[in-house]
Amino acid sequence: MLCLTSSSSSAPAPLLPSLADRPSPGIAGGGGNVRLSVVSSPRRSWPGKVKTNFSVPATARKNKTMVTVVEEVDHLPIYDLDPKLEEFKDHFNYRIKRYLDQKCLIEKHEGGLEEFSKGYLKFGINTVDGATIYREWAPAAQEAQLIGEFNNWNGAKHKMEKDKFGIWSIKISHVNGKPAIPHNSKVKFRFRHGGGAWVDRIPAWIRYATFDASKFGAPYDGVHWDPPACERYVFKHPRPPKPDAPRIYEAHVGMSGEEPEVSTYREFADNVLPRIRANNYNTVQLMAIMEHSYYASFGYHVTNFFAVSSRSGTPEDLKYLVDKAHSLGLRVLMDVVHSHASNNVTDGLNGYDVGQNTHESYFHTGDRGYHKLWDSRLFNYANWEVLRFLLSNLRYWMDEFMFDGFRFDGVTSMLYHHHGINKGFTGNYKEYFSLDTDVDAIVYMMLANHLMHKLLPEATIVAEDVSGMPVLCRPVDEGGVGFDFRLAMAIPDRWIDYLKNKEDRKWSMSEIVQTLTNRRYTEKCIAYAESHDQSIVGDKTIAFLLMDKEMYTGMSDLQPASPTINRGIALQKMIHFITMALGGDGYLNFMGNEFGHPEWIDFPREGNNWSYDKCRRQWSLVDTDHLRYKYMNAFDQAMNALEEEFSFLSSSKQIVSDMNEKDKVIVFERGDLVFVFNFHPNKTYKGYKVGCDLPGKYRVALDSDALVFGGHGRVGHDVDHFTSPEGMPGVPETNFNNRPNSFKVLSPPRTCVAYYRVDEDREELRRGGAVASGKIVTEYIDVEATSGETISGGWKGSEKDDCGKKGMKFVFRSSDEDCK
């Protein structure tokens, strides 16, 4: 090894095995290098549930030849789920072999995925045994130095050594028992590339980066973050248990405050988290956590992958936020962006690309390395150090910040070489399993999902995929990619299309149902009517599409509601409720849409004169008692509480019995509930016949027309609905809408009502009662607008201490109270 100029510095031992043992960075070639068999197949298959237990990792540990491994995975459990997939056996054998080979290589040379994913403890700046060690992978560099405030930006005495794998390192002994690089001091990696020029870059593994906010367009500086023990945040609360069905509140911390400025992690924790818990969500999904120099990118053009976005605070502040969420029983997911990276050079990972070949870069070269629509760089997922970087990135956020899982952004772009650009997906399997498939990226996602579920079995991992690729959400051991959920991205598109282009009378009930239920059996979906995507500049929230400018003048409860406001509030509730109840196995709502936030989102930029007016949340709208926003918020709170009590999202029972185009009515059963949606603009149906499974007595569980939800109070909540048998038992064709029983209801226009079956033996469905509204089934539910203690969805909290917000509280009453 070379001697460093500084007498107090020496290079650490090499990280990796010798070149003779270690494969070259490009050991795993792209999917396009092998021709795959393509066979046409039907659009969808709906087989029964697989009963086969199959463990691919067990096969991997046997260290056999390629032929033997392929033979052992010849019949994957996914073929039992969907027999048509077996026609693409060549593809699955190839990608499973690639996964097993990569996993075995990591086990051989790095000690396994768990050890491999601890890269953040080895790379970047770390304190080890009385010294500061800095490592950086930069094979294209010819010389390298560590510079910063600690050496007055002069790296002459802090030159680094390069090993045979392109990893530069330096060891700097502590001075008088203290680190030579102080906590919260600026640092950069300076290197000379093949062209002879010296360049300064932010360390790729930096954990904090800041900029001078007083200077327009000021570049970011890397900041060494290593606070003393007394300043480090210590987590106090355990992770909440994984719910059967996630009810996700998607949020952006920076725009979460009402003031026209960037909000902080602590402000979000103290002011917004209690609102989320009060509305009975069980999961928070945080956007824009990874550092991004361009605020208006919504956090999707990441510059520093291990750094907390400094606009909203420090790493310790973010830990406080996550811990506060856990204390409220909320799990926390993070939006992770591994599909691409910012094109920025001075402050981003792209700065390490100085014209070298792809095996020595984080990214592909040429056109394959650029996303032409996003203007960003694309990772080379076959590269050994890229795998280390990305897998360690996931583990870093889970271990250091206690995140409970991730939403992977841009998965469609990762799955295919064409990135989904100008590509329509019809469901033909040839679209998913062909030479267009990026097997490198799929293998990375399989490794990532396997790792995350091994480290945290209760992790929740969500894929943002619009293509509908089969087995994306099946376990890796079965031959799937390993995600837990995918976003049902076609649903919001349907609602936007209807609201913009179709009159209410032309809405198709069957088309709505088809959109909501068009998902693969055994692969779970997160349904949503609108996320951040639907309200960014150029579009509007659903509430604003429905009511538009009348939201500025017609939302006061002190005056009669106009027809536009009546229609808007009614359809806002119906659209979100049917999306939740029928659209998937989980539900997502974007911050503010629960109360019908008006207008759209527009980050400060030159085009709006750097205004924050549309980059904030106007909580005062829902907190003002005489405004009608409170009704939509109350309904959102109630429908989440309904799911908490009846767990219908996690039920496998989902039966649509009626899609009446003339009446504009949809009737379906989900779990133990019967749902009736009347989309007709003006028709009330008295004695409307509704099919159901079990005989007995049914009562209202949730009614969107209740007065407390801004409705007209037309549905009787003290009415018992007794069933009548239909046809011959066991002969569906003789039944009513293929249901063996029925009961009759009153169904007003633009109203949705959920009914539950009463347990005749105890005159209550469950202990704690049904969730409802207004004066509904008073022996089970109470609605309070008073201060004090509230109990909602099994979570107990003090309104004064935790929620502190105005509005209705839905309280489950005990059976003792019912008997009083």
Side-chain angles (χ1 to χ4, degrees):
M1 290 189 176
L2 299 175
C3 294
L4 297 176
T5 304
S6 172
S7 60
S8 62
S9 303
S10 62
L15 279 173
L16 303 174
S18 68
L19 282 176
D21 294 329
R22 184 186 173 200
S24 65
I27 186 69
N33 293 333
V34 177
R35 184 167 295 279
L36 306 179
S37 174
V38 178
V39 184
S40 62
S41 63
R43 178 171 181 174
R44 288 286 186 268
S45 179
W46 310 95
K49 187 175 183 180
V50 66
K51 297 181 180 179
T52 305
N53 266 330
F54 185 90
S55 179
V56 171
T59 307
R61 291 191 292 269
K62 296 184 179 179
N63 193 26
K64 298 192 176 183
T65 65
M66 172 181 174
V67 174
T68 304
V69 170
V70 171
E71 287 175 352
E72 292 199 0
V73 298
D74 195 51
H75 186 80
L76 296 169
I78 56 174
Y79 303 150
D80 298 314
L81 285 170
D82 186 348
K84 294 298 181 183
L85 292 173
E86 198 162 5
E87 299 177 14
F88 299 88
K89 185 180 294 186
D90 288 348
H91 171 89
F92 286 105
N93 282 350
Y94 173 64
R95 85 182 194 189
I96 286 291
K97 182 206 176 300
R98 285 280 313 283
Y99 163 75
L100 294 177
D101 283 351
Q102 189 70 67
K103 187 168 177 288
C104 286
L105 286 170
I106 292 173
E107 289 173 352
K108 178 181 178 181
H109 298 298
E110 300 282 354
L113 274 176
E114 292 184 60
E115 191 65 28
F116 189 53
S117 64
K118 294 179 181 178
Y120 66 92
L121 298 177
K122 301 174 182 178
F123 285 78
I125 303 174
N126 290 283
T127 300
V128 180
D129 297 332
T132 297
I133 297 178
Y134 171 53
R135 292 186 178 98
E136 196 73 71
W137 181 63
Q142 305 301 308
E143 296 181 69
Q145 304 171 353
L146 177 61
I147 61 173
E149 292 177 327
F150 78 99
N151 61 9
N152 294 317
W153 304 100
N154 185 345
K157 293 185 178 182
H158 294 92
K159 296 180 180 180
M160 302 178 69
E161 290 185 344
K162 181 182 182 181
D163 70 11
K164 63 187 69 176
F165 304 117
I167 297 172
W168 294 86
S169 59
I170 185 172
K171 181 178 180 180
I172 309 174
S173 298
H174 288 354
V175 179
N176 298 323
K178 294 183 179 181
I181 305 177
H183 161 63
N184 208 19
S185 63
K186 296 176 182 179
V187 293
K188 282 195 175 181
F189 176 62
R190 174 173 290 171
F191 68 94
R192 180 178 64 83
H193 57 73
W198 285 86
V199 294
D200 296 347
R201 299 291 183 256
I202 293 178
W205 299 70
I206 200 72
R207 301 182 189 182
Y208 197 48
T210 62
F211 67 99
D212 186 347
S214 65
K215 297 180 180 179
F216 179 78
Y220 274 73
D221 289 304
V223 175
H224 175 49
W225 191 261
D226 186 24
C230 61
E231 296 179 16
R232 294 182 183 181
Y233 186 85
V234 178
F235 285 91
K236 305 175 182 65
H237 305 281
R239 302 178 192 267
K242 184 176 183 177
D244 292 333
R247 300 187 300 276
I248 301 172
Y249 193 91
E250 183 186 39
H252 185 285
V253 172
M255 59 170 289
S256 64
E258 184 141 2
E259 297 301 317
E261 61 188 16
V262 178
S263 294
T264 70
Y265 299 120
R266 289 183 176 268
E267 288 170 343
F268 182 90
D270 295 339
N271 301 328
V272 182
L273 284 179
R275 294 179 181 272
I276 299 171
R277 180 63 264 185
N279 271 45
N280 297 304
Y281 289 91
N282 56 30
T283 306
V284 183
Q285 178 182 302
L286 296 179
M287 306 172 61
I289 295 299
M290 304 161 85
E291 188 59 88
H292 49 290
S293 62
Y294 184 43
Y295 190 43
S297 73
F298 236 135
Y300 292 122
H301 279 221
V302 175
T303 45
N304 311 108
F305 284 76
F306 288 83
V308 166
S309 180
S310 60
R311 290 183 183 85
S312 294
T314 69
E316 311 313 303
D317 295 332
L318 178 60
K319 292 174 184 178
Y320 170 81
L321 186 163
V322 175
D323 200 29
K324 179 66 174 289
H326 287 169
S327 75
L328 296 175
L330 293 166
R331 286 164 61 86
V332 188
L333 308 183
M334 179 179 138
D335 238 349
V336 68
V337 186
H338 284 181
S339 51
H340 64 130
S342 169
N343 203 21
N344 289 19
V345 172
T346 58
D347 52 16
L349 201 60
N350 191 32
Y352 286 80
D353 188 340
V354 288
Q356 68 268 39
N357 64 62
T358 186
H359 299 314
E360 296 183 339
S361 174
Y362 286 99
F363 310 108
H364 287 292
T365 56
D367 290 341
R368 191 179 179 190
Y370 287 87
H371 197 294
K372 61 184 180 182
L373 290 187
W374 296 343
D375 188 28
S376 55
R377 296 305 307 273
L378 298 174
F379 287 105
N380 176 5
Y381 300 104
N383 195 306
W384 189 274
E385 293 303 330
V386 171
L387 289 176
R388 186 199 306 276
F389 184 83
L390 296 177
L391 292 172
S392 298
N393 189 235
L394 296 172
R395 181 160 193 175
Y396 171 73
W397 293 110
M398 289 180 71
D399 285 0
E400 296 295 314
F401 294 88
M402 293 283 285
F403 280 101
D404 303 294
F406 301 96
R407 168 203 180 265
F408 271 64
D409 182 71
V411 169
T412 304
S413 177
M414 300 173 72
L415 290 173
Y416 310 100
H417 292 299
H418 53 63
H419 310 298
I421 299 174
N422 298 323
K423 178 72 175 179
F425 293 93
T426 65
N428 189 313
Y429 281 20
K430 289 189 291 185
E431 297 167 349
Y432 306 119
F433 312 119
S434 71
L435 298 179
D436 286 332
T437 308
D438 190 339
V439 177
D440 291 344
I442 288 178
V443 168
Y444 160 66
M445 287 185 279
M446 292 170 72
L447 290 168
N449 281 308
H450 172 77
L451 171 69
M452 288 182 287
H453 287 108
K454 188 173 183 180
L455 295 173
L456 182 63
E458 291 196 337
T460 298
I461 317 296
V462 182
E464 187 209 31
D465 170 44
V466 71
S467 73
M469 174 179 272
V471 302
L472 183 70
C473 299
R474 293 306 303 175
V476 173
D477 287 359
E478 295 181 3
V481 183
F483 289 100
D484 298 307
F485 297 88
R486 62 154 43 93
L487 293 177
M489 300 181 71
I491 295 175
D493 291 343
R494 175 67 66 196
W495 292 125
I496 298 301
D497 175 53
Y498 271 30
L499 293 175
K500 287 184 175 181
N501 304 316
K502 287 195 175 185
E503 299 177 5
D504 294 2
R505 295 177 183 273
K506 294 183 179 179
W507 286 20
S508 168
M509 302 298 100
S510 60
E511 196 171 58
I512 290 173
V513 169
Q514 195 274 339
T515 300
L516 292 172
T517 59
N518 183 25
R519 55 187 185 271
R520 291 182 59 80
Y521 177 60
T522 74
E523 295 194 50
K524 295 182 178 181
C525 289
I526 301 293
Y528 61 103
E530 54 183 333
S531 68
H532 68 275
D533 283 330
Q534 281 64 52
S535 56
I536 57 178
V537 62
D539 221 319
K540 304 173 182 178
T541 63
I542 284 180
F544 207 57
L545 283 171
L546 286 165
M547 295 174 274
D548 208 71
K549 61 183 180 181
E550 288 203 30
M551 295 191 80
Y552 298 124
T553 59
M555 295 299 285
S556 173
D557 224 2
L558 303 178
Q559 61 188 25
S562 69
T564 297
I565 296 298
N566 267 329
R567 170 184 178 268
I569 292 178
L571 287 179
Q572 165 84 3
K573 293 180 290 186
M574 294 183 72
I575 288 171
H576 287 80
F577 192 34
I578 196 171
T579 298
M580 169 193 260
L582 196 57
D585 310 277
Y587 177 70
L588 178 143
N589 169 74
F590 179 67
M591 177 175 65
N593 291 341
E594 68 274 13
F595 64 83
H597 201 287
E599 301 178 323
W600 55 88
I601 298 170
D602 191 7
F603 282 81
R605 55 190 173 85
E606 187 175 6
N608 64 15
N609 199 27
W610 306 104
S611 171
Y612 283 85
D613 184 61
K614 299 295 188 296
C615 192
R616 59 194 180 105
R617 297 288 88 176
Q618 300 181 55
W619 302 109
S620 58
L621 296 175
V622 69
D623 291 343
T624 302
D625 195 54
H626 70 268
L627 295 182
R628 292 188 167 95
Y629 296 96
K630 66 180 180 182
Y631 297 134
M632 292 176 281
N633 188 70
F635 188 75
D636 179 82
Q637 185 184 53
M639 71 182 198
N640 279 315
L642 181 77
E643 203 289 317
E644 176 76 17
E645 177 66 9
F646 288 93
S647 302
F648 56 83
L649 283 177
S650 58
S651 173
S652 59
K653 181 180 179 181
Q654 178 174 293
I655 301 169
V656 179
S657 60
D658 195 7
M659 297 173 285
N660 194 308
E661 300 293 357
K662 179 182 178 182
D663 296 341
K664 298 299 178 189
V665 171
I666 297 172
V667 179
F668 61 92
E669 297 161 67
R670 187 80 189 269
D672 296 329
L673 300 175
V674 179
F675 297 83
V676 181
F677 283 77
N678 180 0
F679 282 95
H680 202 285
N682 49 44
K683 279 193 176 181
T684 296
Y685 302 109
K686 298 180 180 179
Y688 197 84
K689 197 173 185 180
V690 174
C692 64
D693 183 13
L694 299 176
K697 180 170 64 178
Y698 287 78
R699 290 177 180 165
V700 171
L702 179 60
D703 167 26
S704 70
D705 196 49
L707 296 174
V708 73
F709 302 136
H712 302 285
R714 293 165 290 188
V715 176
H717 299 155
D718 55 355
V719 177
D720 292 331
H721 303 270
F722 292 93
T723 61
S724 300
E726 295 289 343
M728 299 173 59
V731 186
E733 58 267 24
T734 67
N735 299 157
F736 174 73
N737 289 338
N738 289 323
R739 309 310 293 142
N741 295 281
S742 70
F743 59 93
K744 295 183 178 181
V745 301
L746 173 70
S747 183
R750 292 187 179 131
T751 296
C752 50
V753 182
Y755 297 87
Y756 72 97
R757 179 175 173 269
V758 177
D759 187 331
E760 291 284 5
D761 294 331
R762 302 193 324 176
E763 275 296 309
E764 67 180 61
L765 184 62
R766 299 180 183 183
R767 184 180 179 183
V771 183
S773 61
K775 297 180 179 180
I776 173 174
V777 196
T778 53
E779 66 267 34
Y780 295 122
I781 191 72
D782 192 13
V783 180
E784 299 177 350
T786 59
S787 62
E789 187 176 74
T790 66
I791 305 173
S792 183
W795 175 82
K796 184 175 180 180
S798 166
E799 181 179 289
K800 179 180 179 181
D801 295 337
D802 293 315
C803 295
K805 308 301 176 188
K806 298 179 181 179
M808 299 297 180
K809 304 296 176 185
F810 295 85
V811 184
F812 298 145
R813 300 177 61 190
S814 69
S815 55
D816 292 339
E817 289 174 322
D818 293 339
C819 296
K820 291 180 181 179

